[in-house]
Every structure is written in structure tokens, then in C-alpha cells.
Amino acid sequence: MNHIEVLTRYTANFIDELSKNGLTDIVISPGSRSTPLALTASEHKGIKEWIILDERSAAFFALGIAKETKRPVALICTSGTAAANYFPAIVEAYYSRVPLLVLTADRPHELRDVGAPQAIEQIKLYGDYVKWFHEMALPEATPNMLGYVRSKAGIAIYKAEEGNAGPVHLNFPLREPLHIDFSLDNIWGSENEKPFTSTFDGMKKLPDQQVQQLVDRLQRKKKGIIVCGPQINEHFAEAITRLAAKWGLPILADPLSQVRAGNHDKTQIIEGYDAILRSEAVREQLKPDFIIRFGAMPVSKPYLFYVKQHQHATQFIVENHAGYREPAGNRTEIIFADPILLCEDLIAASPGMDVDSHWLRTWQDMNQTAKKHLLSGSSNQVTEGEAVRGLMDVIPTNSSLYVGNSMAVRDVDTFFMTTDKHISILANRGANGIDGMISSGLGAATTGKPITLLLGDLSFFHDMNGLLASKQYKLNLTIVLINNNGGGIFSFLPQAKDPKHFEALFGTPVDIDFGQAITMYGGSHTVVTHEAELKDVLTTSYQELGLSVVEVKTERTENVEWHREKWQAIEQELLKKGE
Amino acid sequence: MNHIEVLTRYTANFIDELSKNGLTDIVISPGSRSTPLALTASEHKGIKEWIILDERSAAFFALGIAKETKRPVALICTSGTAAANYFPAIVEAYYSRVPLLVLTADRPHELRDVGAPQAIEQIKLYGDYVKWFHEMALPEATPNMLGYVRSKAGIAIYKAEEGNAGPVHLNFPLREPLHIDFSLDNIWGSENEKPFTSTFDGMKKLPDQQVQQLVDRLQRKKKGIIVCGPQINEHFAEAITRLAAKWGLPILADPLSQVRAGNHDKTQIIEGYDAILRSEAVREQLKPDFIIRFGAMPVSKPYLFYVKQHQHATQFIVENHAGYREPAGNRTEIIFADPILLCEDLIAASPGMDVDSHWLRTWQDMNQTAKKHLLSGSSNQVTEGEAVRGLMDVIPTNSSLYVGNSMAVRDVDTFFMTTDKHISILANRGANGIDGMISSGLGAATTGKPITLLLGDLSFFHDMNGLLASKQYKLNLTIVLINNNGGGIFSFLPQAKDPKHFEALFGTPVDIDFGQAITMYGGSHTVVTHEAELKDVLTTSYQELGLSVVEVKTERTENVEWHREKWQAIEQELLKKGE
């Protein structure tokens, strides 16, 4: 068998096995060394390939697809710094538990560490930020080695998805010539063939005895709260609201918990807790006996203060598989169990629960007060909060909102009220970077579901290269760009008081007309001033194809003032009622 | 001492010690956790700070300053993916031996691996791609710990510069509050104070006996060639041309060797070797007895073929400090010695050298033939080669040319003929990426020296965010943008024959009007058609301030044809003469 046939069979069997294990999308960045992988991925009928030039954007694009589909997505790039450009998205995927398969082409061993062009050490390139690394064998096409290459493909997909999902990395040493011969017979195996390696894996379920002990302990503690942090399972809302109803407890639901939106019972959901808990005095009034948290730590900083202020409350944290996410530093009982199974088990184990209805009603009343203030008033020049409020009004059901970090996710926390609409909320909260947001949003948009991306100007700037994909693939995406010409979040920090260095080091105004960039990539661009205007433009954008950017220009100092006024008004009314 | 005073003294002593060890430039990306480092860097009188939003661009900007100044440059960023965005430039700096100090802010230990926001594992974040990593102690301000922090600053600078230069990484755990108090007394130490830790380090010099043995062996081998690969020492040209004169040998000088330009003797320099060695038959005629190479492997692929074809020639490779850069796989004698010292020692040890003047003349004649063809003719629509030829004609003396990878550096190899002008040639040839080029060029431009950046459209696209720095800092930079709407180099590869996948996977046209991006960042933009027009526009650009982009639109297929015609004509004439 000649070199080209070996190379063809080796890579085709690998790519086919990815497909047989359910992989459907591969994001490719152009290069020479990766030719065999790129060609076979493009040729395979079961795989849709996306070509993204800038590897940093490519990796976030793959992340966006994987976030929206909740399935692994593969990346292919050539050797050298191409692979290094994936790093930010890989770190994000690792911490936000998103399955990615990173397939890097490499020089073969004899061209490594000898000063050959575009050759860098790629073994364990991403260090501890991938769940698994495997250096692939040089291509061989014996039946044994075709089994090997299929097996590694199947295992890679399993490893990316198992437990806390995350990125895995396979490095392919490839020798020249790098051609592929698609005229060879039977390079893909049979379509009806099962995967070479497939994996069945169980969920974690607490033993009945432990469930009963938990219920018995909690029965004696009346003032409990259920906290739902960021998590992606869309069936979780139904289970947790049934548990909350049974136990008569308030649910503090993070905007990324997928609990605020949908047609489950939402009467016990306290979405205004970020505003409520800003007051130290209010936090003191709301002393809990226990906290049971599902999902990651919520976005809300007041919630962190609340937990720290009540460090003697019994705290349970439920994690699906592994990980200790407890940044408050409190005493904690960690439960590793599937959250839906656990909710069902807890409900079954607590037939008659003694409910403190006053406790729940206090939270519900406070929530009404907070919402009243947050939803009232309207400024001449739309504020950041009003922009999010307007967006939440008109965002279509059965759509996803991809939220940027820094101010955007905090404004969504404040202004995303419970709704019957089905809206998934996605965000890159693994490492909370402002990078890669446009590509993440466009990746999510590949599914055809309507996607709105809400982000600030620095985040927009950081990934402007990502816009190329919207033009290349004519993807439908509505972007709400909150432009306060700089790092708005820093205005909330003590650094804002330093007049000498603040604007240069933290304000960092970009001062560019984003309209020019948007036009360059073939998008539509509208600047809006009023909330009503914003809603009109957004409503239209959801009926149009392609990229629509709706820009809201705000002022950083006024924004801080506006937020602080709202919070003060809420605090005053809550404390008055509590007297 | 309170927390703020401790933090202030710790970071101020660190920054001051960097300055006392000669550091002058720090590139800062905005963030909260890095506030103490950013503020003290901004406040220190001896340090110039540059604020660059996109950390990927920031790191390449620092690389550009360090390449041009040949001195370490520091980077400061906040925790999380900010630091991961540095990775491509760090990999490049590692392989191209550029000194960088990467200073990352981090959460303190109690906020690590607990799900705290924007906290990722940063210990050894860059793996093997930094020469040294040190996790800094939590800030303390005892005399002993202020000595520690100064000592680590001094050592970091030494480690970045020693031997083969490269990046080093210090990670700073920092607790809130993150304020700095500049009203405290004596936070910088005295201006007249010497560095706390300074280092003197020797160069490698071969023992006299080994030098003499080398000369004795080479005396018996007449047909030698001296090869000068990429290297940055501007004094090397003088030394190597004197050695070549003494030994009567041709010098094959890579465009990045700094040997083609300057007022040293250039009669023995064969700058046309890439064109000459494209013919296998010509390579056969030029069988060498020995090769002595200084610097990295040349850019030229025909040179690689030449070395492989003559694997029995004795090969010496001279490296300043360490590293085995021999990608041809030939038997090799590696000499670790300072190249200038070695040239002087070899000259002193070979008073009377038997010279084969026919050998030298053969190379010189071939070089004349190649140059005649390369410099002749003029197309209606300027070709990529003619664009580089035109650029080299008008580029001012005492300037630097920063060359992009892929086609740009290859065209410079072909068309940069020896000149008396003083021109430094810079390129990112550590990993040969197409990323970060605009930022690298702008970093070099901070020195005030006229800089021309030559690059292709994919490379321009990859780092468009880098253009923001030209607007922010009104840097003078002339960019020659060769726009063939895609990956021109792939048209030279066998992949070009695959009509089904080629354009999507390799051609990858971007199809955008770069003029819009350039205008957005306040640059001037001119599209030129003829070589004469190019020269006019370039000449004007060197007299103007700010960013000037001169765009040359070419066609990928025609470009391949044009190059191949030139090479064929050269081969035919060389073979005819050789008959």
C-alpha cells in the first residue's frame, strides 16, 4: 500500500468514526499540514464543515455550536501558532464544561525540535486545560491500526462528553506528501456499520438511605433557600420547581440556570435577588437555616455577600459529577448526583413536609418590590438596563440569548424576569472572558435557531474578526451592542476614583465607528435611542435574514448613577416594609 | 502596615527594579485584578506604558518592540483567558528567541479551584513555551520580602535575555482591595540606587586549539559555502564578510540574516541562491565540500533541497548558545560559540588560505544571471514580486522592514538584492504564523524608526484588531498589503490541483474591502496598480505621519505563473552556461 493510500485510509477511518459516534460539525482553519484531515472532513457526507480563518475565532465558533447543541464539535488546524490561537476558547471550554475535540496536525518526529519551519512542540500543548491528550500514531493502514484509529476517535468523543464535559486534544504527526485519494474503495466503512467503539455511561444517583437522611435533617430546618446557578439542562427547571413547591422554598434562580423561562410553575422563583441582596440590612433580615445550591456559583455578587454573611447556614452544593465550586469559603456538604434524579428522590422521600409559608412569602413580597422598581420608568436616552428590559420584552420564544460577560450578564441578571417564553440563556462563564463572543454567538446561530447576542463594545471589538463567518455563511444573528465606549464595569469599582490613570487603564475608550466594520462584513447596523425604538428595530431584525446589529449608545458614569438609584430605591422600600 | 501600603510597596519595588535593570516598555491590557501592577507601571517615571485592549495583539505588540530594540519588554494582564490570549505570541517569542516578561495577575490561593469568577489555573500556564516560571509570593513588605521582589524582577530580566532569549512568566496572586497609594514615602527606592540584582554573563568562545583544528581541516576542502540564516546581530555582517574574503567563499545570505544590506563588502554575497537552487541539475553542478552555517535554517526551500542533495558535504552549524536546528537530517557538527568571536578567531588562525577562485566566480556569475532575470521586465498589473522589488527600491535607509510569513518573506528572499542602505529585516520566524503581524509592526514603530510592514491579506485580516494601536498612539507605519484575496502560498502546493475542495479549504478568499477597516482606524489607504505608482505612493508615505496602507491587488494563479516563468528562464540560462 503506498503512502497516499495509507494516509487516506487512516484519516478517513478516523473521520468516519467521529461521524458514527454522532459528531456532525467540524470547524476547519486553513493550512497545509492539516490537509488530510481537512479534506476527509469536507468529503464525509455525515459531517458539515465550517471554514474559519482566524483560529481564535474558529475555536469560539466551535464552542458556540457545542453550547447550543450540547454535543461535541471538532476543530482542525495546522501546526504552529495556529494551534496556540485555540487556547483562549479551550480554557473557556474546560471551565464551562463544553465538549470540544481539538485535532491538530503536526510535523512527524524527524522534523520536530530540529528548527523545521512552523514546527513547535505540540505534545500536551494545552497543558491541564484539556481532559485528555493523545499523540496519534504515524498513519498506518493495517486492519489493526485502522481499528486503533477508529477506537481513538470513539474514545475522544466519550472523553469530551463524560462527567464534566470539556475539550480533548489529539495531535496528528503527518508526513508529506499530504494528498488524499477519494477514488479508493471502501475508505469510510459501511454506512450501516455500528461505531467501532461506543460507550454507555451511568448517572450518579445517591443511595436511598442518604436521600432519607438528607430529608430528615432538612425537615427540622424551616428557612431554606434553593439556589439555581448556571447550568444547561433544560429539563432541570421542571424538577426543581416541583421540589420547591413540595418544600415551600424560594428559588433564587440565576439568569443562566434555565429556570427563569419556560412553562413550568414560576411562582416561587425569586429573580430579583441580586437587587434585594444589595442591602446589608436586608441580607441580615433574610437569615437562612440552609442553602441548597444546584449548578455553578451565581453571577450575582450580592449573593456572594449573602452567603458570606450567613456562613453558619448549612450549605449543600449539588454537582453532577465532580468539582468543588464554593468560592465563599463556607463550610459545605457537596453532593455528587444528577440534579434531576436527586430532585425526584428528594420529592419521593418527603411526602409530608412542614412548610414555613411566611418565609417564602417574605421573599416573594420583596421580589415584587424589586421588580416594580426595575420595570418602572423610562429614560429619554435608553439606559443599559432599559435596553436589556426592552430586549427581554421582544425576544422571540424558542430562541437563545447569548450573553456577554462583564456588564451584559449582570444586566441580564437584573432585568430578565420570569417568562413563559422558551428562551435558553448561554454565556461563556467558564473564565468570564470578554473574548470570542461574536464567534460564540455565530456558532450557536449555525443551528438555525434564532440567536440574540447581547454584549458591550469592548467585547464586540475583541472578536470583530468573528464577523467574517456571518458574511461567509449568511448566518442569522441579532446583536445588541451596548456601546458605552469602554470598560463600563470598571466604573462600578473603586478604581474609578483615580482621575490620573482611570480613563487610560480602565475606561479604555475604543472610539471607533463600529458601523464601518459591520458594513464591511455585510451586516445591517442601526443606532437606537429610546427603549420603544429598540424594541421596534429588534422585532424587525428577527424577521430578517443575516446579521443585524442594534447599537445602544450609553454613557458610563450615567449608567452607574442609574443603577445605583434603582438599587437605593429598592433598598429603602424593602427596609421600610421590614420595620 | 496596612494592606494597601503592603501592596503598594511590593508592586512599586518590583516595577522599579525592572526599570533599574533596564526595562523601559510595558504593554498593559485593562483588567481589574491587575490594577496594582498596571497602576505602578503607569506611575513609574522610567517606564513607558502602552495600553492594548486585545491581549493577543498586546503580546505581539510587545514582541515587535522587543524585536526592534533587542531588549526585554513586559506584559501585564488580568486573570483568566486574558492571559491565554498571549499564548500565540509567547510561542513565537520562545522559538524566535525574543525576550518578554509576562506578568499575570491572579486570584490568591483561597480563590483558586473553588469556582470563583474569572479564575483559572495559572501556574505554568504557558507550559514549556517560557524559559522560566515563578509563582510570586503574596505581597509582603518586610525588608526581606522587598529584597525578594526586587531580586525576582532582576532575575526575570536576566532569564529572558540569557542564552537564547525568550519569554519568562511571573504570576502574581493579589488580594482585594487592589488600590495603590502613591502618597506613601520612598516607594521606588532612590533613583541613584543600583539594581538589587544585576547580572554579568559571558559569551561562548571556542578554545584556540579547536579553532586551529577547524582551520586545518577546512584548508584541505576548497569548495566551501558560508550560509547566513536568520539572525539579528547587526555587527555580524562585517565579521562574516571579512571571513568570506579571507577564505574566498560565497555567502548564501538569507534576507533575515542582516547581511544583504549595509556598507560592508558585498561582492561575495549570493542573494539569488533561492532562484539558482530551484533547478535540481544546477544543484548537482554546485556540489560543495563543506557548508558552514550561521543563524537559523534559511527561509529558502530550494536551499533545503540543496543540503539534502549533498548530504555528504561536511556540515557545520554555528549557534550562539544552544539548540540543534538541522531540519535536513544530515550529519552535522554543531559549534556553540559567539559568531563574531568565532569569525575573528577563524580569521586569525588562517593567515594564508588556499582559495578556489573558480568556485566563487561560478556562484557569482550564476547570481548575476539570476538577478538579471529577477530585476527585468515590468507587468501592466504589478505582480507580487514586482511589488517587493519596487518596495526595496524606495525603502529609506536606517529603517526596518517587518516581513509577514507565507508568501511575503519568500518574495523578499527573491527580490531583496544587496544594498548599501541600512535596512534591518524583522520577521516572526519562530513558528512562522500569519498571526499578530500588524501588532508586531506597530510595536517596532514605537521606537520612532521608520517601519515598513509587508504582508498578505490573510495575515492582515488575522490581526486587524492590531490597527487600533496605530490610532491610539498615532504611530508611523507604512504597510504594503499584497491582496490576492486568499492563501496565495497554497497555489504553489499540490493541493491546488483539487478543484472540489481547493478554494474553500485553501484558497479561502476573505472578500472584504480592507479600505473600510483602515479608514475606521484613521489610516490612509491607496490601491496601486503599477510598480512606478507603488514607488511614488510609498515615497510619499515615508514623509507622512500615521498609518499608510498601500494595497497591491494581485491574482493568485497569475502570481504562480509569473514566478514559475522567472524561475524557468533562470534555470535555462544557468544550464546553458554550465554546458
Side-chain angles (χ1 to χ4, degrees), chain B residues 490-503:
Chain B
F490 295 120
S491 302
F492 289 84
L493 299 179
Q495 285 90 316
K497 289 176 202 141
D498 178 345
K500 184 169 172 194
H501 298 288
F502 179 74
E503 201 58 15

mmCIF file with all atom_site columns, all heavy atoms in Angstrom, chain B residues 490-503:
data_model
loop_
_atom_site.group_PDB
_atom_site.id
_atom_site.type_symbol
_atom_site.label_atom_id
_atom_site.label_alt_id
_atom_site.label_comp_id
_atom_site.label_asym_id
_atom_site.label_entity_id
_atom_site.label_seq_id
_atom_site.pdbx_PDB_ins_code
_atom_site.Cartn_x
_atom_site.Cartn_y
_atom_site.Cartn_z
_atom_site.occupancy
_atom_site.B_iso_or_equiv
_atom_site.pdbx_formal_charge
_atom_site.auth_seq_id
_atom_site.auth_comp_id
_atom_site.auth_asym_id
_atom_site.auth_atom_id
_atom_site.pdbx_PDB_model_num
ATOM 1   N N   . PHE B 1 490 ? -0.740  28.541 -1.060 1.00 0.00 ? 490 PHE B N   1
ATOM 2   C CA  . PHE B 1 490 ? -1.291  27.209 -1.346 1.00 0.00 ? 490 PHE B CA  1
ATOM 3   C C   . PHE B 1 490 ? -1.359  26.936 -2.845 1.00 0.00 ? 490 PHE B C   1
ATOM 4   O O   . PHE B 1 490 ? -1.355  25.783 -3.256 1.00 0.00 ? 490 PHE B O   1
ATOM 5   C CB  . PHE B 1 490 ? -2.674  27.050 -0.710 1.00 0.00 ? 490 PHE B CB  1
ATOM 6   C CG  . PHE B 1 490 ? -2.659  27.094 0.782  1.00 0.00 ? 490 PHE B CG  1
ATOM 7   C CD1 . PHE B 1 490 ? -3.360  28.062 1.486  1.00 0.00 ? 490 PHE B CD1 1
ATOM 8   C CD2 . PHE B 1 490 ? -1.929  26.165 1.513  1.00 0.00 ? 490 PHE B CD2 1
ATOM 9   C CE1 . PHE B 1 490 ? -3.335  28.103 2.873  1.00 0.00 ? 490 PHE B CE1 1
ATOM 10  C CE2 . PHE B 1 490 ? -1.894  26.196 2.904  1.00 0.00 ? 490 PHE B CE2 1
ATOM 11  C CZ  . PHE B 1 490 ? -2.601  27.171 3.583  1.00 0.00 ? 490 PHE B CZ  1
ATOM 12  N N   . SER B 1 491 ? -1.418  28.003 -3.642 1.00 0.00 ? 491 SER B N   1
ATOM 13  C CA  . SER B 1 491 ? -1.453  27.808 -5.088 1.00 0.00 ? 491 SER B CA  1
ATOM 14  C C   . SER B 1 491 ? -0.162  27.188 -5.597 1.00 0.00 ? 491 SER B C   1
ATOM 15  O O   . SER B 1 491 ? -0.110  26.670 -6.707 1.00 0.00 ? 491 SER B O   1
ATOM 16  C CB  . SER B 1 491 ? -1.700  29.144 -5.804 1.00 0.00 ? 491 SER B CB  1
ATOM 17  O OG  . SER B 1 491 ? -2.912  29.707 -5.364 1.00 0.00 ? 491 SER B OG  1
ATOM 18  N N   . PHE B 1 492 ? 0.909   27.254 -4.792 1.00 0.00 ? 492 PHE B N   1
ATOM 19  C CA  . PHE B 1 492 ? 2.180   26.655 -5.185 1.00 0.00 ? 492 PHE B CA  1
ATOM 20  C C   . PHE B 1 492 ? 2.245   25.173 -4.805 1.00 0.00 ? 492 PHE B C   1
ATOM 21  O O   . PHE B 1 492 ? 3.153   24.478 -5.181 1.00 0.00 ? 492 PHE B O   1
ATOM 22  C CB  . PHE B 1 492 ? 3.347   27.396 -4.508 1.00 0.00 ? 492 PHE B CB  1
ATOM 23  C CG  . PHE B 1 492 ? 3.592   28.772 -5.047 1.00 0.00 ? 492 PHE B CG  1
ATOM 24  C CD1 . PHE B 1 492 ? 2.866   29.857 -4.582 1.00 0.00 ? 492 PHE B CD1 1
ATOM 25  C CD2 . PHE B 1 492 ? 4.544   28.992 -6.035 1.00 0.00 ? 492 PHE B CD2 1
ATOM 26  C CE1 . PHE B 1 492 ? 3.095   31.125 -5.078 1.00 0.00 ? 492 PHE B CE1 1
ATOM 27  C CE2 . PHE B 1 492 ? 4.789   30.257 -6.544 1.00 0.00 ? 492 PHE B CE2 1
ATOM 28  C CZ  . PHE B 1 492 ? 4.044   31.338 -6.060 1.00 0.00 ? 492 PHE B CZ  1
ATOM 29  N N   . LEU B 1 493 ? 1.274   24.733 -4.015 1.00 0.00 ? 493 LEU B N   1
ATOM 30  C CA  . LEU B 1 493 ? 1.321   23.361 -3.487 1.00 0.00 ? 493 LEU B CA  1
ATOM 31  C C   . LEU B 1 493 ? 0.476   22.413 -4.337 1.00 0.00 ? 493 LEU B C   1
ATOM 32  O O   . LEU B 1 493 ? -0.397  22.850 -5.084 1.00 0.00 ? 493 LEU B O   1
ATOM 33  C CB  . LEU B 1 493 ? 0.798   23.341 -2.037 1.00 0.00 ? 493 LEU B CB  1
ATOM 34  C CG  . LEU B 1 493 ? 1.574   24.193 -1.030 1.00 0.00 ? 493 LEU B CG  1
ATOM 35  C CD1 . LEU B 1 493 ? 0.943   24.102 0.354  1.00 0.00 ? 493 LEU B CD1 1
ATOM 36  C CD2 . LEU B 1 493 ? 3.031   23.775 -0.962 1.00 0.00 ? 493 LEU B CD2 1
ATOM 37  N N   . PRO B 1 494 ? 0.698   21.119 -4.170 1.00 0.00 ? 494 PRO B N   1
ATOM 38  C CA  . PRO B 1 494 ? -0.057  20.142 -4.969 1.00 0.00 ? 494 PRO B CA  1
ATOM 39  C C   . PRO B 1 494 ? -1.571  20.220 -4.703 1.00 0.00 ? 494 PRO B C   1
ATOM 40  O O   . PRO B 1 494 ? -2.377  19.884 -5.568 1.00 0.00 ? 494 PRO B O   1
ATOM 41  C CB  . PRO B 1 494 ? 0.484   18.790 -4.491 1.00 0.00 ? 494 PRO B CB  1
ATOM 42  C CG  . PRO B 1 494 ? 1.766   19.066 -3.791 1.00 0.00 ? 494 PRO B CG  1
ATOM 43  C CD  . PRO B 1 494 ? 1.705   20.466 -3.302 1.00 0.00 ? 494 PRO B CD  1
ATOM 44  N N   . GLN B 1 495 ? -1.961  20.701 -3.510 1.00 0.00 ? 495 GLN B N   1
ATOM 45  C CA  . GLN B 1 495 ? -3.375  20.807 -3.177 1.00 0.00 ? 495 GLN B CA  1
ATOM 46  C C   . GLN B 1 495 ? -4.158  21.626 -4.220 1.00 0.00 ? 495 GLN B C   1
ATOM 47  O O   . GLN B 1 495 ? -5.368  21.462 -4.351 1.00 0.00 ? 495 GLN B O   1
ATOM 48  C CB  . GLN B 1 495 ? -3.573  21.501 -1.815 1.00 0.00 ? 495 GLN B CB  1
ATOM 49  C CG  . GLN B 1 495 ? -3.242  20.661 -0.595 1.00 0.00 ? 495 GLN B CG  1
ATOM 50  C CD  . GLN B 1 495 ? -1.793  20.803 -0.153 1.00 0.00 ? 495 GLN B CD  1
ATOM 51  O OE1 . GLN B 1 495 ? -0.894  20.780 -0.980 1.00 0.00 ? 495 GLN B OE1 1
ATOM 52  N NE2 . GLN B 1 495 ? -1.576  20.905 1.151  1.00 0.00 ? 495 GLN B NE2 1
ATOM 53  N N   . ALA B 1 496 ? -3.462  22.537 -4.896 1.00 0.00 ? 496 ALA B N   1
ATOM 54  C CA  . ALA B 1 496 ? -4.124  23.440 -5.839 1.00 0.00 ? 496 ALA B CA  1
ATOM 55  C C   . ALA B 1 496 ? -4.813  22.673 -6.963 1.00 0.00 ? 496 ALA B C   1
ATOM 56  O O   . ALA B 1 496 ? -5.675  23.195 -7.656 1.00 0.00 ? 496 ALA B O   1
ATOM 57  C CB  . ALA B 1 496 ? -3.112  24.429 -6.408 1.00 0.00 ? 496 ALA B CB  1
ATOM 58  N N   . LYS B 1 497 ? -4.420  21.410 -7.136 1.00 0.00 ? 497 LYS B N   1
ATOM 59  C CA  . LYS B 1 497 ? -4.997  20.629 -8.243 1.00 0.00 ? 497 LYS B CA  1
ATOM 60  C C   . LYS B 1 497 ? -6.352  20.024 -7.906 1.00 0.00 ? 497 LYS B C   1
ATOM 61  O O   . LYS B 1 497 ? -6.994  19.407 -8.750 1.00 0.00 ? 497 LYS B O   1
ATOM 62  C CB  . LYS B 1 497 ? -4.016  19.506 -8.646 1.00 0.00 ? 497 LYS B CB  1
ATOM 63  C CG  . LYS B 1 497 ? -2.790  20.048 -9.357 1.00 0.00 ? 497 LYS B CG  1
ATOM 64  C CD  . LYS B 1 497 ? -1.805  18.921 -9.641 1.00 0.00 ? 497 LYS B CD  1
ATOM 65  C CE  . LYS B 1 497 ? -0.397  19.468 -9.853 1.00 0.00 ? 497 LYS B CE  1
ATOM 66  N NZ  . LYS B 1 497 ? 0.623   18.608 -9.250 1.00 0.00 ? 497 LYS B NZ  1
ATOM 67  N N   . ASP B 1 498 ? -6.801  20.159 -6.665 1.00 0.00 ? 498 ASP B N   1
ATOM 68  C CA  . ASP B 1 498 ? -8.081  19.572 -6.247 1.00 0.00 ? 498 ASP B CA  1
ATOM 69  C C   . ASP B 1 498 ? -9.195  20.607 -6.423 1.00 0.00 ? 498 ASP B C   1
ATOM 70  O O   . ASP B 1 498 ? -9.381  21.487 -5.588 1.00 0.00 ? 498 ASP B O   1
ATOM 71  C CB  . ASP B 1 498 ? -7.968  19.158 -4.771 1.00 0.00 ? 498 ASP B CB  1
ATOM 72  C CG  . ASP B 1 498 ? -9.266  18.580 -4.219 1.00 0.00 ? 498 ASP B CG  1
ATOM 73  O OD1 . ASP B 1 498 ? -10.326 18.742 -4.860 1.00 0.00 ? 498 ASP B OD1 1
ATOM 74  O OD2 . ASP B 1 498 ? -9.211  17.979 -3.137 1.00 0.00 ? 498 ASP B OD2 1
ATOM 75  N N   . PRO B 1 499 ? -9.936  20.525 -7.536 1.00 0.00 ? 499 PRO B N   1
ATOM 76  C CA  . PRO B 1 499 ? -10.899 21.587 -7.815 1.00 0.00 ? 499 PRO B CA  1
ATOM 77  C C   . PRO B 1 499 ? -12.070 21.580 -6.834 1.00 0.00 ? 499 PRO B C   1
ATOM 78  O O   . PRO B 1 499 ? -12.665 22.604 -6.568 1.00 0.00 ? 499 PRO B O   1
ATOM 79  C CB  . PRO B 1 499 ? -11.376 21.269 -9.228 1.00 0.00 ? 499 PRO B CB  1
ATOM 80  C CG  . PRO B 1 499 ? -11.134 19.813 -9.401 1.00 0.00 ? 499 PRO B CG  1
ATOM 81  C CD  . PRO B 1 499 ? -9.963  19.463 -8.536 1.00 0.00 ? 499 PRO B CD  1
ATOM 82  N N   . LYS B 1 500 ? -12.401 20.414 -6.266 1.00 0.00 ? 500 LYS B N   1
ATOM 83  C CA  . LYS B 1 500 ? -13.598 20.319 -5.444 1.00 0.00 ? 500 LYS B CA  1
ATOM 84  C C   . LYS B 1 500 ? -13.437 21.076 -4.121 1.00 0.00 ? 500 LYS B C   1
ATOM 85  O O   . LYS B 1 500 ? -14.327 21.764 -3.668 1.00 0.00 ? 500 LYS B O   1
ATOM 86  C CB  . LYS B 1 500 ? -13.910 18.838 -5.162 1.00 0.00 ? 500 LYS B CB  1
ATOM 87  C CG  . LYS B 1 500 ? -15.206 18.647 -4.380 1.00 0.00 ? 500 LYS B CG  1
ATOM 88  C CD  . LYS B 1 500 ? -15.626 17.193 -4.349 1.00 0.00 ? 500 LYS B CD  1
ATOM 89  C CE  . LYS B 1 500 ? -16.802 16.985 -3.399 1.00 0.00 ? 500 LYS B CE  1
ATOM 90  N NZ  . LYS B 1 500 ? -17.013 15.578 -3.090 1.00 0.00 ? 500 LYS B NZ  1
ATOM 91  N N   . HIS B 1 501 ? -12.284 20.904 -3.479 1.00 0.00 ? 501 HIS B N   1
ATOM 92  C CA  . HIS B 1 501 ? -12.133 21.458 -2.141 1.00 0.00 ? 501 HIS B CA  1
ATOM 93  C C   . HIS B 1 501 ? -11.192 22.647 -2.087 1.00 0.00 ? 501 HIS B C   1
ATOM 94  O O   . HIS B 1 501 ? -11.142 23.337 -1.084 1.00 0.00 ? 501 HIS B O   1
ATOM 95  C CB  . HIS B 1 501 ? -11.603 20.375 -1.185 1.00 0.00 ? 501 HIS B CB  1
ATOM 96  C CG  . HIS B 1 501 ? -12.536 19.209 -1.037 1.00 0.00 ? 501 HIS B CG  1
ATOM 97  N ND1 . HIS B 1 501 ? -13.709 19.308 -0.342 1.00 0.00 ? 501 HIS B ND1 1
ATOM 98  C CD2 . HIS B 1 501 ? -12.463 17.939 -1.484 1.00 0.00 ? 501 HIS B CD2 1
ATOM 99  C CE1 . HIS B 1 501 ? -14.317 18.130 -0.369 1.00 0.00 ? 501 HIS B CE1 1
ATOM 100 N NE2 . HIS B 1 501 ? -13.589 17.284 -1.056 1.00 0.00 ? 501 HIS B NE2 1
ATOM 101 N N   . PHE B 1 502 ? -10.399 22.884 -3.152 1.00 0.00 ? 502 PHE B N   1
ATOM 102 C CA  . PHE B 1 502 ? -9.292  23.829 -3.011 1.00 0.00 ? 502 PHE B CA  1
ATOM 103 C C   . PHE B 1 502 ? -9.711  25.214 -2.530 1.00 0.00 ? 502 PHE B C   1
ATOM 104 O O   . PHE B 1 502 ? -9.186  25.736 -1.541 1.00 0.00 ? 502 PHE B O   1
ATOM 105 C CB  . PHE B 1 502 ? -8.483  23.956 -4.305 1.00 0.00 ? 502 PHE B CB  1
ATOM 106 C CG  . PHE B 1 502 ? -7.359  24.942 -4.152 1.00 0.00 ? 502 PHE B CG  1
ATOM 107 C CD1 . PHE B 1 502 ? -6.233  24.592 -3.417 1.00 0.00 ? 502 PHE B CD1 1
ATOM 108 C CD2 . PHE B 1 502 ? -7.439  26.222 -4.668 1.00 0.00 ? 502 PHE B CD2 1
ATOM 109 C CE1 . PHE B 1 502 ? -5.203  25.498 -3.223 1.00 0.00 ? 502 PHE B CE1 1
ATOM 110 C CE2 . PHE B 1 502 ? -6.411  27.135 -4.468 1.00 0.00 ? 502 PHE B CE2 1
ATOM 111 C CZ  . PHE B 1 502 ? -5.290  26.772 -3.753 1.00 0.00 ? 502 PHE B CZ  1
ATOM 112 N N   . GLU B 1 503 ? -10.655 25.834 -3.231 1.00 0.00 ? 503 GLU B N   1
ATOM 113 C CA  . GLU B 1 503 ? -10.974 27.225 -2.922 1.00 0.00 ? 503 GLU B CA  1
ATOM 114 C C   . GLU B 1 503 ? -11.522 27.385 -1.499 1.00 0.00 ? 503 GLU B C   1
ATOM 115 O O   . GLU B 1 503 ? -11.174 28.310 -0.782 1.00 0.00 ? 503 GLU B O   1
ATOM 116 C CB  . GLU B 1 503 ? -11.941 27.792 -3.971 1.00 0.00 ? 503 GLU B CB  1
ATOM 117 C CG  . GLU B 1 503 ? -11.956 29.306 -4.067 1.00 0.00 ? 503 GLU B CG  1
ATOM 118 C CD  . GLU B 1 503 ? -10.611 29.963 -4.385 1.00 0.00 ? 503 GLU B CD  1
ATOM 119 O OE1 . GLU B 1 503 ? -9.666  29.264 -4.817 1.00 0.00 ? 503 GLU B OE1 1
ATOM 120 O OE2 . GLU B 1 503 ? -10.505 31.189 -4.169 1.00 0.00 ? 503 GLU B OE2 1
#
